[in-house]
Amino acid sequence: MFVVHRCGVDSYHGKDFYIAKQQGFESWSFLYTVTPQRLYWDGKMSDVPAGTCILYPVDYPRFLNCAGGADFFVNSWVHFSVTNYSVMMDMLEKNKIPIAKPFRQLESSPFYTTLQMIVDEQCFVRSNYVEMVSALMQAMFIQLGRNIVSYDQPQDSNELRQKKVFEELRKNIYNAPEKKWTNEAMAASVHFGVNQFIFYYKRFFDVTPKQDLIDARIVKAKTLLAYSAAIKDVAINCGFENEYYFTRVFKQKTGLTPTEYSKAPLSHP
């Protein structure tokens, strides 16, 4: 039913990156914002927070770029076609997934893991990967439906203020992941105790501060490797202790060594 054309997880885009397609694409697109960004929906451009999902149909206008004042944004996405339009629409209706309107997910939603598996299958092209990708896409939409939260659902005002402070910290981490970020320093920057800080960070972003720091460094490393930078220089510029530790962590996160990644077609979108 699903045919995936292109996809990516934790894709980094600088402030000069901009998509403007008045006639849209010839494929469907599912997009998840890892950081705030600006999207087109309801007839206008709007800044949306991290954790926003949106499903665009074929030929729907596609515009996106950095959120106001941001220097970059990170998102995950998949462009795909469907072999049976009516079945697709029935599935969306059954799972109450809106079209071209933002929605959110419960913190416990496993859809992101499934999206990572889809990207992995597309990258390595294993046996029966077409059938596997289609099955994973169907599973992801079921997960999205099970864990959907209205975009307009109000949140506690105090929690919203706290989350805004945490989002600013996260922006700083992704802007400069090479710094020596520690839980103690990060907690102090938002005026929290360490244990309380870790709890809220995990609650807001569904990842621990330590793991998110590693993810931020890997995101930067992917960008540098796309320009064929030396492995040792990439390791240093991304905050890793040495190139051997960097290589081990990079392969754990991507399935490829830095050298393999720099030579792969997917590293040069």
Side-chain angles (χ1 to χ4, degrees):
M1 176 181 175
F2 294 98
V3 178
V4 171
H5 305 301
R6 293 189 300 149
C7 51
V9 170
D10 296 336
S11 297
Y12 178 95
H13 308 286
K15 61 182 178 182
D16 295 328
F17 182 88
Y18 189 84
I19 288 180
K21 295 286 187 180
Q22 180 63 45
Q23 305 303 320
F25 296 150
E26 295 180 356
S27 61
W28 289 74
S29 298
F30 171 75
L31 178 70
Y32 175 76
T33 63
V34 180
T35 64
Q37 72 176 80
R38 181 167 294 171
L39 294 176
Y40 182 85
W41 63 284
D42 198 25
K44 61 182 183 296
M45 295 291 289
S46 301
D47 285 355
V48 299
T52 299
C53 301
I54 193 165
L55 176 66
Y56 288 121
V58 174
D59 297 334
Y60 189 89
R62 314 280 177 88
F63 298 93
L64 66 86
N65 62 337
C66 276
D71 295 323
F72 72 97
F73 63 96
V74 180
N75 58 22
S76 296
W77 47 275
V78 54
H79 298 313
F80 64 95
S81 299
V82 293
T83 57
N84 191 316
Y85 180 79
S86 62
V87 172
M88 173 70 173
M89 298 307 294
D90 288 343
M91 183 192 69
L92 295 179
E93 182 178 358
K94 179 180 180 180
N95 290 287
K96 296 182 172 59
I97 298 175
I99 297 177
K101 292 184 178 180
F103 60 95
R104 295 185 290 114
Q105 287 283 283
L106 294 173
E107 295 173 8
S108 58
S109 177
F111 88 94
Y112 204 68
T113 298
T114 305
L115 180 54
Q116 290 173 319
M117 293 171 66
I118 292 169
V119 173
D120 179 75
E121 286 291 332
Q122 285 290 106
C123 181
F124 290 102
V125 192
R126 303 180 181 93
S127 61
N128 301 317
Y129 86 97
V130 173
E131 293 82 358
M132 176 61 79
V133 166
S134 182
L136 288 170
M137 286 289 294
Q138 185 170 359
M140 184 180 74
F141 277 106
I142 293 173
Q143 292 164 348
L144 290 170
R146 284 180 173 178
N147 297 278
I148 196 166
V149 177
S150 171
Y151 180 73
D152 298 321
Q153 181 173 310
Q155 292 178 278
D156 177 76
S157 59
N158 184 54
E159 183 173 308
L160 284 174
R161 286 193 296 271
Q162 290 177 343
K163 187 173 183 181
K164 186 175 181 179
V165 172
F166 274 67
E167 285 179 342
E168 184 64 25
L169 168 63
R170 196 185 197 200
K171 174 183 174 181
N172 292 335
I173 292 171
Y174 272 81
N175 267 326
E178 70 279 1
K179 289 185 177 180
K180 293 187 180 298
W181 297 97
T182 64
N183 283 339
E184 290 75 14
M186 289 187 284
S189 71
V190 294
H191 309 292
F192 272 68
V194 173
N195 291 336
Q196 187 183 30
F197 165 71
I198 294 174
F199 170 82
Y200 274 99
Y201 200 99
K202 180 72 163 61
R203 178 174 178 178
F204 290 146
F205 306 124
D206 198 29
V207 65
T208 65
K210 181 178 180 180
Q211 189 58 59
D212 206 23
L213 174 59
I214 292 175
D215 291 343
R217 288 173 172 171
I218 294 298
V219 167
K220 182 176 181 179
K222 287 179 178 179
T223 302
L224 294 177
L225 289 169
Y227 293 94
S228 301
I231 305 302
K232 184 177 180 180
D233 293 339
V234 173
I236 293 174
N237 288 323
C238 294
F240 290 94
E241 297 174 2
N242 54 66
E243 60 184 295
Y244 306 106
Y245 176 61
F246 164 60
T247 298
R248 178 161 60 87
V249 173
F250 191 89
K251 186 167 185 178
Q252 287 176 346
K253 299 295 293 185
T254 68
L256 300 171
T257 66
T259 301
E260 291 170 338
Y261 181 87
S262 66
K263 294 179 180 178
L266 288 177
S267 69
H268 303 277

